[in-house]
Amino acid sequence: MSVGGSGTPDAWSALSAHRDAIADIDLRGMFDADPDRVSALTADAAGIHFDYSRHRITTETIELLAALARERRVETLRDAMFRGERINRTEDRPVLHVALRMPPERSLVVDGTDVVREVHRVLDRMSTFADEVRSGARTGHTGLPFEAVVNIGIGGSALGPEMASQALRHFSHDRIEFRFVSNVDGSDLEEAVAGLDPERTLFIVCSKTFTTLETMTNARAARAWSLAGLGGDPDAVASHFVAVSTNLEAVADFGIDPNETFGFWDWVGGRYSMDSAIGLSTMLAIGPENFRAMLAGFHAVDEHFLSETITENIPMLHGLIAVWNRNFLGMGSSAVIPYAEDLSRFPAYLQQLTMESNGKRVEQDGTPVECETGAVWWGEPGTDAQHSFFQLLHQGTDPIPLDLIVFERPGREIDEVQGQHRLLVANALAQGRALAFGRTAEETRKAGVEEDLVAHRTFPGNRPSATLMLDRLTPTSLGSLVALYEHSVFTQGAIWGIDSFDQWGVELGKEMAGELVPYLSGEAEGGLDASTEALIRRYRKAEAAGD
Ligand code: F6P
């Protein structure tokens, strides 16, 4: 394939030719051919060790990918993002999540406003609020300290905070429990408030737009629950609700006091917002100091991404290898396997980050993209994943590249006591090794396997993975890890020439859901497609029967 319309025939063609030239060399062959391969294909920055030597690449591949990045002006676009230019063209907005983690002494003036100062003004308010709630100085209406915080939000207003709450649960406040409600399915809210005491429960309504159907519906239901539990006094509810939004007017209309509202800005995309006020629940859980440590972790990777040369730049390398796997090796999916149970929501978080960002079919100027764009990203924590879908990764017909995320040091004492962390790491390393090098039929025979099982017990190998090794799962390392993926996504989108910061694709479904509600209630009829009408008839019949 060439990408004529994207204006990158040279680097693209060179990569295609190179792909064909190395097609017959597998990972065993690549390792045998180059004794320096590991030192050449690893990079270290911001506490992240990135070993990409088990991808199907050579040092020449990296040089060619770097040439592609230069041709596609990835660095120019990156610099424009950091300067606050309106690189989200379809929404005519700057993309400035990097400003959310700039230290207070920095300044970045966009449209006449120093956005770093604004960021720290909100951070300071969040810190005061968090300290008050955590210490018990701030109470509910009846004077009792809060023992539960329920975050109501969806997508970017939920996945990041929920992921961080899980990832950093070891750092979490010991009196306060954190719960998350996102789905408009009433069972989500019902389960989230089950067993909670309304007098000790604080709700955070998180919504960038403050118009999202799910969040507004849940917020109203939560208010009704709170009202009922506090004796029906509407004033009582006020001290149990705060909001996080860019739409301060809509927050006020909903009835939440502007003084209890934490703002952010339209230049923060929903899926890039866990380090904005959307992270209020995270700050309540881990405390302001740890939250700032998380921001420092993000910032360290931002600085690295901004200043490091392409071939040593971890997020760029990560993104370029994703492009290589997607466009040159034809791999349509990519798995992320954190060897840390605390990161169990990390793949879900990444799904929105990667797929809402790069699931696009036209370039910035509206012309169709001439190559495949965003892969399907998915995953589960190891070692559990090994006992479910790893069979397909080892012996299925489609090779799927993997990121194995490993921590050098355990998060908990129990891991030291039982040596459990060592077992965890051994498994992570073994998987990368087995996937890359497999076991040949000859080796299988040598291991004493009966002839009629040799084919079944042979592992083809040559299955690519990268290992991301970090010191320990802490607020700082979590921030660094998230920033790495954010900038990898940016790099991929820049190569493809798409707008990684809009999400028009989710709109049609939202519109149609709104249109169908009157059909389900019987107020509207006819004019739909036959399938939808038949399903609605079936639904209405069941509703009428009262089942
Ligand atoms: O699903 C689309 C989306 O717009 C996401 O991009 C966003 O994170 C989510 O909805 C929630 O939006 P809001 O924060 O405005 O409620």
Side-chain angles (χ1 to χ4, degrees):
M1 172 189 294
S2 86
V3 188
S6 307
T8 60
D10 295 346
W12 201 273
S13 306
L15 275 158
S16 298
H18 167 71
R19 182 258 332 271
D20 296 344
I22 63 170
D24 292 338
I25 315 172
D26 65 5
L27 281 168
R28 281 187 186 223
M30 287 181 183
F31 272 79
D32 289 345
D34 181 3
D36 294 329
R37 182 175 171 84
V38 174
S39 63
L41 300 180
T42 46
D44 285 90
I48 302 172
H49 176 70
F50 181 42
D51 179 342
Y52 53 101
S53 64
R54 292 197 282 221
H55 274 291
R56 285 193 212 162
I57 55 173
T58 65
T59 48
E60 190 187 348
T61 322
I62 294 299
E63 291 303 332
L64 292 169
L65 285 168
L68 177 67
R70 281 190 287 274
E71 219 170 78
R72 298 293 292 169
R73 299 165 63 81
V74 175
E75 293 158 295
T76 308
L77 190 66
R78 171 200 64 190
D79 296 349
M81 173 172 76
F82 275 79
R83 276 198 303 272
E85 288 177 24
R86 305 176 106 75
I87 65 163
N88 176 357
R89 288 210 215 138
T90 71
E91 293 181 317
D92 192 24
R93 288 175 185 167
V95 173
L96 266 180
H97 44 277
V98 292
L100 297 170
R101 48 266 190 153
M102 285 182 183
E105 58 277 12
R106 287 275 286 272
S107 157
L108 179 62
V109 178
V110 177
D111 294 337
T113 304
D114 184 347
V115 295
V116 181
R117 192 186 303 169
E118 291 285 297
V119 162
H120 283 275
R121 203 176 46 77
V122 175
L123 270 176
D124 291 344
R125 282 191 57 227
M126 288 167 64
S127 302
T128 306
F129 178 76
D131 282 337
E132 288 173 1
V133 171
R134 287 164 60 85
S135 69
R138 180 181 278 254
T139 65
H141 183 69
T142 56
L144 297 173
F146 293 112
E147 291 190 345
V149 171
V150 180
N151 189 89
I152 302 175
I154 197 163
S157 299
L159 287 162
E162 193 180 358
M163 179 276 287
S165 161
Q166 181 79 3
L168 302 174
R169 55 189 169 167
H170 192 41
F171 294 79
S172 197
H173 194 279
D174 49 17
R175 187 192 71 241
I176 309 173
E177 190 186 344
F178 292 84
R179 298 189 183 181
F180 296 84
V181 180
S182 50
N183 203 324
V184 76
D185 178 348
S187 62
D188 201 14
L189 179 66
E190 190 170 303
E191 291 298 329
V193 296
L196 297 186
D197 177 356
E199 291 182 57
R200 297 170 192 265
T201 302
L202 174 70
F203 290 93
I204 306 177
V205 185
C206 277
S207 175
K208 181 174 172 181
T209 54
F210 230 72
T211 56
T212 305
L213 170 87
E214 292 89 336
T215 303
M216 292 301 103
T217 307
N218 277 322
R220 281 190 292 273
R223 188 163 56 186
W225 177 87
S226 198
L227 194 62
L230 292 167
D233 174 6
D235 289 342
V237 176
S239 43
H240 291 260
F241 277 77
V242 297
V244 178
S245 186
T246 58
N247 187 351
L248 305 184
E249 226 170 88
V251 174
D253 287 349
F254 182 81
I256 294 179
D257 185 345
N259 295 319
E260 306 290 9
T261 303
F262 300 88
F264 61 114
W265 308 271
D266 70 358
W267 42 258
V268 184
R271 53 195 175 275
Y272 297 87
S273 67
M274 62 171 278
D275 45 343
S276 71
I278 290 291
L280 183 62
S281 63
T282 313
M283 189 190 271
L284 286 166
I286 66 176
E289 207 175 308
N290 277 322
F291 193 84
R292 284 174 200 264
M294 184 178 84
L295 297 183
F298 274 99
H299 184 64
V301 170
D302 294 343
E303 293 284 277
H304 164 75
F305 179 59
L306 184 60
S307 58
E308 189 53 270
T309 162
I310 298 174
T311 52
E312 296 297 327
N313 191 313
I314 295 180
M316 278 207 199
L317 287 166
H318 189 276
L320 290 170
I321 293 168
V323 168
W324 168 254
N325 288 331
R326 179 78 182 107
N327 297 123
F328 297 94
L329 301 186
M331 296 174 183
S333 123
S334 201
V336 176
I337 313 295
Y339 277 79
E341 190 57 30
D342 290 339
L343 283 179
S344 59
R345 294 294 290 161
F346 193 65
Y349 168 77
L350 278 187
Q351 285 185 329
Q352 188 198 15
L353 181 67
T354 55
M355 296 200 270
E356 197 166 76
S357 296
N358 285 341
K360 310 286 163 66
R361 50 181 284 284
V362 293
E363 295 196 17
Q364 286 265 14
D365 64 3
T367 55
V369 182
E370 292 187 23
C371 62
E372 300 81 10
T373 61
V376 173
W377 288 76
W378 57 284
E380 283 287 333
T383 58
D384 287 37
Q386 293 169 204
H387 299 270
S388 60
F389 53 77
F390 264 60
Q391 166 63 38
L392 184 145
L393 300 182
H394 285 289
Q395 290 186 316
T397 49
D398 298 306
I400 294 172
L402 257 72
D403 278 349
L404 302 162
I405 301 174
V406 187
F407 294 92
E408 291 155 13
R409 304 291 306 132
R412 312 293 169 97
E413 260 171 41
I414 187 169
D415 289 320
E416 308 256 27
V417 174
Q418 301 287 343
Q420 284 182 230
H421 192 67
R422 200 170 293 147
L423 293 176
L424 186 67
V425 176
N427 270 278
L429 302 189
Q431 290 303 322
R433 192 167 134 78
L435 286 161
F437 306 117
R439 188 169 66 179
T440 63
E442 199 187 330
E443 288 165 345
T444 307
R445 276 189 200 99
K446 264 196 194 146
V449 171
E450 286 170 34
E451 193 54 37
D452 61 346
L453 283 183
V454 166
H456 295 277
R457 299 193 58 180
T458 293
F459 291 75
N462 203 28
R463 304 198 166 209
S465 68
T467 307
L468 293 157
M469 212 174 215
L470 296 92
D471 171 29
R472 201 188 278 267
L473 182 52
T474 61
T476 310
S477 64
L478 181 68
S480 296
L481 198 58
V482 172
L484 185 167
Y485 280 97
E486 285 178 348
H487 299 319
S488 168
V489 165
F490 174 95
T491 302
Q492 295 165 53
I495 295 285
W496 292 322
I498 57 179
D499 188 332
S500 297
F501 300 101
D502 60 16
Q503 56 286 315
W504 301 109
V506 292
E507 294 303 321
L508 183 60
K510 282 188 196 173
E511 272 169 40
M512 283 193 179
E515 283 163 18
L516 291 186
V517 175
Y519 286 87
L520 289 165
S521 63
E523 290 159 56
E525 251 178 46
L528 302 173
D529 65 277
S531 167
T532 308
E533 287 195 355
L535 292 165
I536 288 172
R537 271 197 302 278
R538 189 180 163 90
Y539 170 87
R540 288 194 41 74
K541 202 169 150 198
E543 196 179 60
D547 287 344

